[in-house]
Amino acid sequence: MRLQPDTRIQRVIRAASRGPLHLALIAIALLWTFPSVGLLVSSFRPKLNVATSGWWTAFQLPFEFTLENYAFVLFRRGVGDSFVSSILITVPATFLTILVAAFAAFAFAWMSFRLRDFLFFFVIALLVVPLQMTLIPLLNLLGFFKLNATYLGIWLVHMGFGLPFAVFLLRNFFAALPREMLEASQVDGASSRVVFFKIVLPLSTPALASLAIFMFLWIWNDLLVALIFLGGSPELVPGILPPVSADRGPLTLTIASLVSSRGADWELLTAAAFVSMVLPLAVFFALQRYFVRGLLTGGLRG
């Protein structure tokens, strides 16, 4: 039986039936972005105007916008240096977590060894352990190895906290790959290393991208770990990296100190907040096409 194409009236009726849903989604999106727009406008307004009038008055003549708030937080409050330090903390920690998790997930998914299921269950059980329970033991351990307030120490801490979720996500994705393809490559003489780097990793790009987004955003926006393991101060003890980026802690610590010392000047806080949002937004939009696909495949199959 041949299906009849939709008529124009049917398409109009179907579009009209979806109208309330679209309107509701638009309304939710506007309500969600409305406060952010207000903060963004305030970050470009002079201090006197922010203190005496609402942000919506900025669009009345004469327009008064300035970049002084951004210049102040970037060059006089250390946000520029902290931005670099956040990059030097977040990028290596994200890369190390994904690298170690990928090796572990491949072993749990495709290699046979004793206690494999028990070890995987143990790793997953770490997801329910409160992060706060580990702070003091880890702080003592890093102090013993003289890694407190260093980049290497903070990389290891973030990697340790992120590995259980990363292994869980990647293992489920790896296990969903076609078994016949991997077995055929092994029959052709491919080693486990070749299978991992040439077949598994290229096919797992959605899961890796999803994990990269999660880890990057979590580490970039982290305050608790930085507060504990970097001494609660924006001043960072030089570790294994050059002093040009080792004199400041991450953005979260610098913004926290800005809140405590200049809480009244909240136009500066909005400027610093939007500086901290630039790179996470760029990472998310660069990898967003893989995000939902990787999450669904890794979370629903395995």
Side-chain angles (χ1 to χ4, degrees):
M1 181 177 179
R2 192 171 185 180
L3 298 177
Q4 296 295 329
D6 292 342
T7 63
R8 181 176 299 178
I9 295 178
Q10 290 174 328
R11 290 195 295 268
V12 171
I13 293 175
R14 187 162 55 247
S17 64
R18 297 174 180 173
L21 175 61
H22 293 166
L23 291 177
L25 293 176
I26 293 174
I28 293 173
L30 291 177
L31 289 174
W32 188 271
T33 58
F34 190 74
S36 299
V37 172
L39 292 176
L40 178 62
V41 173
S42 297
S43 69
F44 288 102
R45 301 186 69 202
K47 177 179 179 179
L48 180 61
N49 292 2
V50 172
T52 57
S53 61
W55 64 266
W56 52 90
T57 60
F59 300 103
Q60 300 175 358
L61 293 175
F63 299 123
E64 293 186 62
F65 294 103
T66 179
L67 294 176
E68 291 181 0
N69 298 330
Y70 286 91
F72 185 87
V73 298
L74 283 172
F75 303 111
R76 297 180 60 184
R77 295 296 296 175
V79 171
D81 293 333
S82 294
F83 188 89
V84 177
S85 292
S86 288
I87 294 176
L88 294 175
I89 290 172
T90 305
V91 174
T94 301
F95 174 78
L96 289 174
T97 303
I98 295 176
L99 180 65
V100 175
F103 282 123
F106 179 76
F108 285 129
W110 294 106
M111 299 178 69
S112 298
F113 53 90
R114 294 183 60 187
L115 302 178
R116 184 185 69 172
D117 294 337
F118 172 79
L119 291 175
F120 180 68
F121 176 80
F122 177 77
V123 171
I124 299 307
L126 294 176
L127 288 170
V128 302
V129 177
L131 182 147
Q132 292 80 0
M133 290 181 59
T134 65
L135 295 180
I136 294 178
L138 282 177
L139 191 62
N140 293 333
L141 184 63
L142 292 182
F144 178 79
F145 290 103
K146 301 186 184 304
L147 291 177
N148 277 333
T150 64
Y151 284 103
L152 179 58
I154 202 70
W155 293 343
L156 294 175
V157 170
H158 280 304
M159 184 175 66
F161 288 143
L163 275 177
F165 173 76
V167 172
F168 170 72
L169 180 68
L170 293 182
R171 185 266 176 191
N172 286 349
F173 196 96
F174 291 172
L177 296 176
R179 177 175 294 274
E180 296 79 7
M181 180 175 55
L182 273 68
E183 291 177 345
S185 62
Q186 291 175 342
V187 170
D188 291 339
S191 63
S192 298
R193 179 177 61 84
V194 173
V195 171
F196 178 75
F197 286 104
K198 300 294 184 179
I199 298 177
V200 173
L201 287 187
L203 292 177
S204 303
T205 301
L208 295 173
S210 299
L211 180 59
I213 292 174
F214 267 119
M215 293 303 304
F216 189 94
L217 294 181
W218 173 62
I219 298 173
W220 183 272
N221 294 319
D222 168 73
L223 174 61
L224 178 61
V225 174
L227 195 65
I228 298 299
F229 294 96
L230 298 182
S233 169
E235 300 300 325
L236 181 59
V237 177
I240 62 174
L241 295 177
V244 64
S245 60
D247 58 351
R248 279 281 166 189
L251 275 169
T252 50
L253 283 183
T254 301
I255 294 176
S257 67
L258 190 65
V259 171
S260 61
S261 62
R262 309 185 68 89
D265 300 331
W266 62 275
E267 74 281 357
L268 302 179
L269 303 180
T270 59
F274 278 97
V275 169
S276 70
M277 291 168 56
V278 172
L279 193 56
L281 285 175
V283 171
F284 180 80
F285 285 117
L287 302 177
Q288 65 169 335
R289 61 183 179 136
Y290 301 110
F291 186 65
V292 176
R293 182 155 50 111
L295 284 183
L296 291 178
T297 307
L300 300 180
R301 299 174 63 183

